[in-house]
Amino acid sequence: MTATSMTLRFAVLVAATFALASCQSGSKAPSQPTGKSAALRSMEQVATAAYKCWFASKDPAFRSYQMANELNNFGGTPRFLLVPARNYGAKPLLVVQATGNSSRVDVFGPLMGDALGSRISADITRWQSGNPACSASA
């Protein structure tokens, strides 16, 4: 056996090993789950509509509040809060959140007992169902 044929055999063996390794690496399951949870998808939909309809539109009913977005918090509970407009660090007056792998959105806080509570509830229910309209008649 000559040195050239041994080099050729070694090259073929190396190429075959790399080919086999590349086939096997594609069949492994990903170690990290991919995609968004149902809670995050639902909250993104609701938070986008809330911002558009309550704040970007300059709705006078929400002039005294500002939105604190916490969709990507580390606790796994995507949420947003309404706090007093001039006191971002104050206790939230409204919490809108979803938990885990559920698309159910929970809404609570002092504003829900206020005159604005029924409107907030109707808006959140509409947005959660996939209707991004700012009012029930739209």
Side-chain angles (χ1 to χ4, degrees):
M1 190 180 277
T2 65
T4 306
S5 70
M6 285 183 68
T7 304
L8 182 59
R9 283 184 182 187
F10 180 73
V12 169
L13 178 62
V14 169
T17 302
F18 281 126
L20 181 60
S22 68
C23 289
Q24 290 177 346
S25 67
S27 64
K28 291 181 182 175
S31 60
Q32 294 284 335
T34 57
K36 297 177 183 177
S37 70
L40 181 56
R41 284 192 308 270
S42 185
M43 282 306 302
E44 284 176 338
Q45 182 174 302
V46 170
T48 300
Y51 178 78
K52 178 186 83 169
C53 297
W54 294 346
F55 297 99
S57 71
K58 300 191 186 295
D59 186 324
F62 291 90
R63 186 175 298 140
S64 317
Y65 312 106
Q66 62 182 332
M67 186 174 183
N69 183 345
E70 297 181 353
L71 295 181
N72 292 321
N73 69 25
F74 293 109
T77 304
R79 66 184 184 174
F80 70 84
L81 315 170
L82 293 192
V83 296
R86 301 196 192 286
N87 190 356
Y88 196 76
K91 287 186 177 180
L93 300 171
L94 180 73
V95 178
V96 181
Q97 70 182 21
T99 308
N101 204 19
S102 170
S103 60
R104 190 183 92 233
V105 175
D106 297 315
V107 184
F108 55 92
L111 281 179
M112 293 307 291
D114 195 340
L116 202 50
S118 60
R119 175 174 170 201
I120 290 170
S121 182
D123 286 348
I124 298 295
T125 300
R126 183 174 55 259
W127 299 332
Q128 184 183 358
S129 73
N131 180 349
C134 291
S135 65
S137 61

